[in-house]
Amino acid sequence: GPALLFVKTSQGKEEGRRFYACSACRDRKDCNFFQWEDEKVSETRLAAREEYNRNHQPTFTHRQNVERYKNFVLLPLSKRRFCQECQQLLLAEEWEKHSNHQLLCDISTAQLKSPSQFLYPLENKKTNAQYLFADRSCQFLLNLIVDLGFRRVLSVGTPRLHEMIQSKASQEDFRVRSLLLDIDFRYSQFYTEDEFCHYNMFNHYFFGGEAAHETCRNFLCEDNGERVIMVTDPPFGGLVEALASSFKKLMAMWKKTGKEGQGNKEMPVFWIFPYFFESRILDFFPSFSMMDYQVDYDNHALYKHGKTGRRQSPVRIFTNLTPSMIVLPVEEGYRFCALCQRYVSSGNQHCEICNSCTSKDGRRWKHCVLCKKCVKPSWFHCNSCNCCALPNHSCEKSGSGCFVCGKAGHKRSACPSLSHA
Ligand code: SAH
Ligand code: ZN
Ligand code: ZN
Ligand code: ZN
Ligand code: ZN
């Protein structure tokens, strides 16, 4: 899909030079597309690019993969093989070609319903950063969605939530449906075009074109009162402004499908992201608030809850739903704060002065009268910096301020003295 326009700034200079780069790959090793905004591109180079793109299409189209799947499930267990190197379901006539590859054999129907359990998580690449929900967190999210009365889930970059919904729907009397939007095309092997769209959330691009757009639009249509919620868990290295712009487009799609009476309402959203992005997210979505619930992951050592001496996960749920409606599990130590009208971590103490439960990380924070706000327990007020910081910080450390104007409190990407691309 389309590239994003970035700006290269150098210290002291007001104007930066603008260039286009790949929206999805943060690492130039994954995609080396680069073009100055004002650069003239020759016909030859354009042709070479098109040629490159043609040669880098997936082996099979989504349609073909759906057909292959139909044939695959007809095979007896002993003939159901998955190539771990090619990350592909194999039909019998293809075994030969993959004879030197590691294969997974006897793929059961249950396994086919949980592809995230055997697909290799694309975690080493900055590009995909696939961190899968721990079962407890996934279950919690789904219960919450059901309890809130939603019947449709637009799963944007949440394959594990999608698969939990899909497999429940096929087993019991469970009426929730899910549509997965993800850039990971491997999922097209397991889901039809009505269940999965190949999608880039950094530029709102549907690889399946108008038909895929239409699938998404239809899904967002709340016929027979089936209410929709969007749940997204983007890679944490992702640019918040690019993500926000795509999510606004998905929200606009929802709004357009609505009958009258939707008024000023927004499509309900759960955006799962680390707490230190709170102010960035609120910049773009002032109606959102951050919940205290700590989202845990399976394949991320840092973001995993242990039973005791647990590491705290920094990942939270941001939502435009009324906070008091988001009930957090008491057995995991969350409690309701009547003053804040929301569930908070057990360690999160209500501060009388701030009139809020101020902790962001689950530990008890302390109020600093000089800063006029609550700060982390490990911080102390520093008179020379005129703010709270770790005791061993170096005062007025150079580089702590903005790279462009030198002032503290923002980074160069948010510098008010720069006009934004
Ligand atoms: N916790 C989620 C997975 C989150 S990991 C779960 O368990 O379901 C981030 C997800 O975003 C991955 O599925 C990854 O494939 C997807 N992703 C990464 N970059 C993307 C992009 N540019 N567009 C759409 N999806 C993307
Ligand atoms: Zn192979
Ligand atoms: Zn409170
Ligand atoms: Zn306070
Ligand atoms: Zn202070």
Side-chain angles (χ1 to χ4, degrees), residues 287-307:
S287 63
F288 282 29
S289 41
M290 186 175 86
M291 303 294 101
D292 268 20
Y293 185 79
Q294 302 193 1
V295 179
D296 294 323
Y297 294 85
D298 253 1
N299 55 341
H300 201 304
L302 283 176
Y303 300 173
K304 220 161 150 173
H305 256 142
K307 275 263 155 52

Side-chain angles (χ1 to χ4, degrees), residues 351 353-354 358 367 373-374:
C351 170
I353 308 162
C354 297
T358 44
H367 192 86
K373 64 175 186 187
C374 284

Side-chain angles (χ1 to χ4, degrees), residues 171-356:
Q171 279 163 19
E172 28 184 308
D173 181 31
F174 182 76
R175 306 246 318 271
V176 182
R177 290 201 292 133
S178 171
L179 173 66
L180 175 64
L181 307 187
D182 203 289
I183 205 161
D184 186 350
F185 193 62
R186 296 176 305 171
Y187 284 100
S188 70
Q189 300 180 84
F190 307 94
Y191 301 118
T192 65
E193 291 102 325
D194 284 333
E195 297 166 324
F196 169 72
C197 296
H198 191 201
Y199 174 78
N200 183 351
M201 62 167 112
F202 291 117
N203 57 7
H204 186 63
Y205 185 74
F206 285 86
F207 293 81
E210 185 45 36
H213 246 110
E214 190 58 26
T215 300
C216 185
R217 257 197 301 274
N218 286 338
F219 188 83
L220 295 179
C221 239
E222 301 183 316
D223 354 294
N224 351 316
E226 296 201 336
R227 292 172 55 223
V228 181
I229 184 167
M230 173 179 133
V231 181
T232 183
D233 187 12
F236 304 147
L239 292 165
V240 174
E241 43 271 80
L243 292 168
S245 146
S246 296
F247 299 158
K248 281 184 197 279
K249 285 175 185 155
L250 288 170
M251 290 162 91
M253 250 168 121
W254 173 85
K255 211 172 173 106
K256 265 204 190 137
T257 62
K259 328 275 176 297
E260 308 90 272
Q262 225 152 46
N264 287 326
K265 281 212 299 220
E266 276 178 358
M267 170 166 72
V269 174
F270 286 164
W271 178 346
I272 296 163
F273 226 50
Y275 72 80
F276 33 83
F277 284 100
E278 183 184 24
S279 64
R280 295 292 290 143
I281 291 182
L282 298 194
D283 281 347
F284 292 99
F285 294 106
S287 63
F288 282 29
S289 41
M290 186 175 86
M291 303 294 101
D292 268 20
Y293 185 79
Q294 302 193 1
V295 179
D296 294 323
Y297 294 85
D298 253 1
N299 55 341
H300 201 304
L302 283 176
Y303 300 173
K304 220 161 150 173
H305 256 142
K307 275 263 155 52
T308 50
R310 69 191 202 185
R311 264 199 174 279
Q312 309 258 14
S313 162
V315 184
R316 302 289 183 270
I317 302 168
F318 294 84
T319 185
N320 50 1
L321 294 173
T322 311
S324 61
M325 287 167 38
I326 313 296
V327 180
L328 304 187
V330 175
E331 60 286 4
E332 283 177 42
Y334 300 97
R335 64 179 174 87
F336 189 72
C337 174
L339 294 163
C340 295
Q341 282 293 303
R342 67 177 183 105
Y343 281 81
V344 295
S345 290
S346 53
N348 196 354
Q349 281 269 333
H350 192 86
C351 170
E352 303 284 343
I353 308 162
C354 297
N355 193 26
S356 153

Side-chain angles (χ1 to χ4, degrees), residues 22 24-32 124-127:
C22 178
C25 306
R26 313 288 330 273
D27 197 330
R28 292 285 293 281
K29 273 186 244 123
D30 292 329
C31 175
N32 62 10
N124 299 326
K125 296 195 161 193
K126 270 192 196 162
T127 309

